[in-house]
Amino acid sequence: MADVNRLNPGEFIGADPTAVRRRIEAMERLLEGLFTLPGTNRKFGLDVILDLIPVGGSVIAAAMGSYLAWEARNLGMPKSTIVRMAGNIGFDALLGAIPWVGAIPDFFFRSNTRNLKMIKKHLDRHHPGTVTLEG
């Protein structure tokens, strides 16, 4: 994944597949991989942190995760894939709705990472020029 901090902000603007890839990767990093759990190599992001806020945090995390599904719709991805993405978001929201305890399963079920993989698969197949090397 590209280092979001070193990119030109103008590279995130636009409807072209390359800009979409950068935006969805940045959103997934914000929600799933912003911090590293001390003493481990396990990453977590705002999705887990928001789940510590009873009910409202889960709703906010689901809304932010829905952004990936919205971008998938704009890319013209099949409705069946978007429904699967919505299912991931809904399941994640249900897990996170359990006050305090919901953050634990959400730490392991990464709906946004799953949804990012689906979008990347579509982009790699239909827009091969957007492929980036990850190192």
Side-chain angles (χ1 to χ4, degrees):
M1 184 179 345
D3 183 8
V4 177
N5 297 325
R6 296 184 350 188
L7 293 175
N8 177 2
E11 295 178 36
F12 287 95
I13 300 172
D16 63 288
T18 303
V20 170
R21 181 182 284 267
R22 288 192 176 113
R23 284 195 303 266
I24 62 172
E25 286 174 345
M27 180 60 83
E28 188 271 342
R29 182 172 185 271
L30 177 70
L31 291 170
E32 303 287 8
L34 197 56
F35 307 104
T36 302
L37 188 64
T40 70
N41 200 18
R42 190 82 174 154
K43 293 194 172 276
F44 66 97
L46 286 182
D47 193 13
V48 171
I49 295 169
L50 288 170
D51 284 340
L52 297 175
I53 303 170
V55 184
S58 182
V59 171
I60 294 168
M64 292 177 74
S66 296
Y67 173 76
L68 297 177
W70 180 75
E71 286 284 14
R73 184 191 64 84
N74 290 342
L75 286 170
M77 288 179 63
K79 288 183 182 180
S80 60
T81 305
I82 295 171
V83 168
R84 284 180 48 212
M85 293 174 72
N88 285 337
I89 295 165
F91 185 68
D92 190 30
L94 286 175
L95 290 175
I98 304 167
W100 295 97
V101 178
I104 296 168
D106 198 22
F107 182 73
F108 296 102
F109 182 78
R110 298 177 176 269
S111 65
N112 300 300
T113 302
R114 291 169 186 250
N115 291 345
L116 176 66
K117 286 180 185 177
M118 286 187 241
I119 297 172
K120 281 183 163 182
K121 184 176 178 182
H122 174 82
L123 284 171
D124 292 349
R125 184 178 302 134
H126 298 285
H127 304 282
T130 67
V131 174
T132 57
L133 299 176
E134 298 180 17

